[in-house]
């Protein structure tokens, strides 16, 4: 049985999954070195640099600023992974991802807002402004007035 690859989980989460799963697990808090070779996904072993091992499944629980190549490799591999790599690639940039997601969710009808850079937006109460193009918690703030 080939190992399960976990990416982006903290050590306590990884330890809990290892305890519950009846299979080998390779876990990385940050992006591991990976490659796809003849349809197999290989990851560099965490203790043996330069030694790559085949993995059977992937759980990718992170957003890294430089992960697009890794997501591309996972999409090219095409094996079982959660979440799907192609969806993560499609949704990596926030605004186009929001438009795609709203088209297929029951919450798509909720009124949304958008404002170009430099415009003033009056807040009718607590409001969150997001100005960055990444999903992570950067480039956003809560405000009550303008």
């Amino acid at each position: 049985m080939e190992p399960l690859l976990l990416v982006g989980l903290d050590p306590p989460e990884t330890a809990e999954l290892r305890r519950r799963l009846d299979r080998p697990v390779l876990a990385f808090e940050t992006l591991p070195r990976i490659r796809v070779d003849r349809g197999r996904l290989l990851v560099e072993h965490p203790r043996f640099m330069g030694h790559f091992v085949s993995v059977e499944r992937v759980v990718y629980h992170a957003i890294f600023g430089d992960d697009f190549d890794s997501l591309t490799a996972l999409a090219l591999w095409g094996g079982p992974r959660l979440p799907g790599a192609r969806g993560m690639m499609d949704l990596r940039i926030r605004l186009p991802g929001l438009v795609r997601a709203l088209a297929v969710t029951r919450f798509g009808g909720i009124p949304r807002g958008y404002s170009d850079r430099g415009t003033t937006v009056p807040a009718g109460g607590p409001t969150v402004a997001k100005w960055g193009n990444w999903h992570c918690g950067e480039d956003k703030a809560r405000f009550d007035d303008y």
Side-chain angles (χ1 to χ4, degrees):
M1 176 183 305
E2 294 179 345
L4 167 70
L5 171 61
L6 302 175
V7 178
L9 294 169
D10 293 327
E13 297 164 320
T14 298
E16 179 65 20
L17 286 171
R18 277 193 169 115
R19 188 181 68 75
R20 291 180 180 217
L21 297 172
D22 187 26
R23 69 177 313 123
V25 173
L26 291 175
F28 296 84
E29 288 182 71
T30 60
L31 284 174
R33 290 180 53 191
I34 63 172
R35 71 179 200 236
V36 178
D37 185 5
R38 291 174 279 192
R40 291 182 24 222
L41 180 66
L42 304 167
V43 62
E44 187 174 40
H45 195 281
R47 292 187 304 273
F48 306 111
M49 289 183 60
H51 178 71
F52 285 77
V53 295
S54 183
V55 295
E56 186 176 352
R57 300 172 182 272
V58 176
V59 174
Y60 193 96
H61 186 75
I63 295 176
F64 301 103
D66 59 348
D67 65 359
F68 205 77
D69 289 345
S70 295
L71 294 175
T72 301
L74 292 175
L76 289 170
W77 168 56
R81 68 238 175 249
L82 180 68
R86 183 170 177 181
M88 291 176 67
M89 292 170 64
D90 289 345
L91 297 175
R92 179 57 74 222
I93 298 179
R94 185 181 60 87
L95 287 176
L98 175 62
V99 171
R100 289 180 185 108
L102 290 175
V104 296
T105 178
R106 65 183 173 140
F107 303 106
I110 297 172
R112 310 262 174 205
Y114 174 84
S115 177
D116 282 332
R117 180 177 300 180
T119 60
T120 302
V121 178
T127 303
V128 174
K130 173 81 171 134
W131 55 89
N133 210 9
W134 291 95
H135 287 287
C136 55
E138 300 171 3
D139 301 327
K140 68 180 173 185
R142 181 180 185 266
F143 60 98
D144 296 314
D145 220 342
Y146 60 114

